[in-house]
């Protein structure tokens, strides 16, 4: 792909992020600005999802996590929840062959069991069809909330302690990570949030410990592949210290 991004396999300095996570925000405001129904904003947001998935695959991002529906989103008006579920189903069905062709594996994090049965069924078909794909993971956060994820992990660990399969001193950071929905993947290197809000909104709270964060004022339906590339370039200028001192300091710089 034509861009001056520096390619690399790991997430060290000047490398591409391995795992990018996006809080896709601003669909409602995009519609409101145009005196349209909020659902129109979500529809346009789906188009952006398509273009950013394609761009990620072409750029060489290995994991793209998209916050598509939070545990809190169930409290939205019934008509909006229904429309979001329909859009999701449409996307999963329409993109199935494209995901397969592009060697992208679908993965879901969140309370899959709370999704409507027809949506679940389409998701399962796509999960199965893409299960052996290796180029990239498209990780959709659906009925996802970090606090729910951590509560669920604590319950599982507590059950193992109660049955004496685990001792309290065996609870380590990696054990907790291994009980999260994201157990098989590295933490996000970069979290992007659109629409200018400065918060994480219950998204990947444990996993975000050392993530770089980028907030853009752009509303999600207006977010483009070009802006995505600019953000990745910005990521490549950042020095990630993970709580340690700068390499420049160690080198006397
Ligand atoms: C936030 O905008 C967005 C959502 C709650 C849903 C995200 C859904 C999509 C991008 C479309 C469907 C998803 C897929 C994967 C096809 P908001 O409604 O909170 O916007 P606002 O803050 O401006 O009101």
């Amino acid at each position: 792909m034509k861009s001056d991004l520096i390619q690399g396999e790991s997430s060290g300095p000047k490398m591409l992020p391995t795992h990018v996570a996006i809080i896709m925000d601003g669909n409602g405001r995009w519609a409101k600005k145009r005196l349209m129904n909020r659902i129109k904003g979500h529809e346009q947001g789906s188009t952006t999802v398509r273009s950013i998935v394609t761009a990620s695959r072409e750029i060489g991002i290995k994991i793209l996590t998209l916050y598509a529906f939070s545990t809190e989103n169930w409290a939205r008006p019934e008509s909006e929840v229904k429309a979001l579920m329909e859009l999701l189903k449409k996307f999963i069905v329409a993109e199935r062959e494209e995901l397969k062709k592009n060697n992208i594996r679908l993965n879901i994090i969140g309370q899959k069991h709370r999704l409507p049965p027809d949506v679940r069924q389409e998701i399962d078909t796509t999960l199965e069809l893409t299960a052996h794909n290796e180029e990239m993971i498209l990780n959709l956060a659906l009925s996802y909330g970090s606090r729910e994820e951590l509560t669920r992990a604590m319950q599982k660990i507590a059950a193992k302690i109660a049955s004496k399969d685990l001792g309290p001193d065996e609870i380590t950071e990696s054990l907790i990570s291994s009980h999260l929905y994201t157990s098989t993947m590295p933490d996000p290197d970069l979290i992007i949030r659109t629409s200018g809000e400065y918060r994480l909104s219950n998204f990947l709270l444990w996993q975000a410990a050392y993530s770089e964060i980028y907030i853009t004022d752009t509303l999600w339906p207006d977010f483009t592949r070009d802006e995505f590339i600019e953000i990745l370039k910005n990521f490549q200028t950042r020095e990630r210290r993970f709580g340690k001192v700068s390499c420049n300091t160690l080198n006397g710089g």
Side-chain angles (χ1 to χ4, degrees), residues 24-30 38 42-43 45-46 49 66-70 73 76 80 84 87-88 91 140 142 195 197 219-220:
M24 311 182 287
D25 195 14
N27 293 351
R29 273 162 285 169
W30 183 92
R38 295 177 55 81
H42 295 312
E43 281 173 15
S46 296
V49 169
L66 298 177
Y67 203 7
F69 194 88
S70 72
N73 288 156
R76 291 196 175 197
E80 185 170 342
L84 277 168
L87 269 178
L88 186 63
F91 174 84
L140 290 186
L142 297 176
S195 92
E197 307 284 355
L219 304 176
W220 177 250

